[in-house]
Amino acid sequence: MALGYVRPARPEDAGEIARIQLATWRVAYRRILPRHVLDNLDEAFLARRWSAAVLEPPSGAHRVLVAVEQAEQSYLVGFAASGPADAEALAPGEPADALGPEVAAVTDLLVEPRWGRRGHGSRLLAAAVDLWREDGLSRAVAWAFEGDEATRKFLTSTGWEPDGAARALDVDDMLVPQVRLHVAVPPEKVPADE
């Protein structure tokens, strides 16, 4: 396991978050999304969106976290974004109140492939869970591409399960199937009396 930590994203991290997103998508999703879509993603546009997410979140419970690898230098190697579930977390045809106010939605959880399998994803997820607890959120959902075995395997290894919901994203006239996973937010562990 690598030496690393998770911290809240800062405005100056937006460019690096966008770079990580592009690098990860272009490797992890190269057989899932059309190549020309991945090739045409605009890093500057993504950086502006991440800057807005960090500086102007929709609520105090919407957060962007970054994973940092510590070596001779420190590197941003991954990030996670989550907040209270909204319409984007719903499955097609689900009523607006289907998930409830106590549900968190993970919108992004990415670790750059060259830094994978070093504990960064687990640290990001654990930090997010701590924040969900603070916000009174008792359950979480996340959409994953059906063809993204790495993400689905990671989430299921930490207790997430498919909840039966599915959808297909229209990506430049190509339908890309997704499945929704969910997990109960475990209660905070109380230290045993000595």
Side-chain angles (χ1 to χ4, degrees), residues 5-194:
Y5 61 92
V6 171
R7 64 168 171 76
R10 302 173 187 142
E12 62 269 20
D13 296 329
E16 193 63 4
I17 292 170
R19 186 199 62 73
I20 292 167
Q21 183 178 13
L22 278 179
T24 304
W25 280 22
R26 286 177 175 159
V27 170
Y29 301 155
R30 72 181 182 271
R31 290 189 172 89
I32 297 172
L33 299 175
R35 182 180 181 147
H36 69 277
V37 170
L38 293 172
D39 288 345
N40 291 324
L41 289 171
D42 181 8
E43 190 170 334
F45 170 77
L46 292 174
R48 288 190 299 276
R49 290 191 65 197
W50 285 114
S51 181
V54 171
L55 289 169
E56 302 163 7
S59 77
H62 285 82
R63 296 183 177 91
V64 179
L65 303 172
V66 293
V68 179
E69 168 119 354
Q70 290 180 285
E72 290 180 23
Q73 296 184 40
S74 292
Y75 304 94
L76 251 56
V77 297
F79 67 95
S82 68
D86 60 13
E88 295 296 316
L90 295 172
E94 271 188 321
D97 61 352
L99 294 176
E102 75 288 345
V103 178
V106 176
T107 56
D108 291 279
L109 177 59
L110 297 173
V111 174
E112 192 173 356
R114 64 185 169 138
W115 300 102
R117 306 196 55 80
R118 298 168 67 85
H120 299 298
S122 296
R123 279 190 285 278
L124 284 164
L125 195 53
V129 167
D130 288 343
L131 293 169
W132 299 337
R133 258 193 229 108
E134 284 178 24
D135 295 332
L137 302 172
S138 60
R139 200 163 66 90
V141 296
W143 287 99
F145 289 117
E146 196 173 88
D148 182 2
E149 290 182 33
T151 296
R152 288 187 301 111
K153 184 176 178 181
F154 169 70
L155 289 174
T156 57
S157 76
T158 62
W160 294 66
E161 297 177 326
D163 70 1
R167 68 183 182 189
L169 297 183
D170 185 347
V171 181
D172 200 32
D173 289 332
M174 178 180 162
L175 293 178
V176 184
Q178 289 187 310
V179 295
R180 190 173 64 193
L181 295 97
H182 71 126
V183 70
V185 174
E188 189 168 8
K189 292 182 182 176
V190 178
D193 292 338
E194 294 182 30

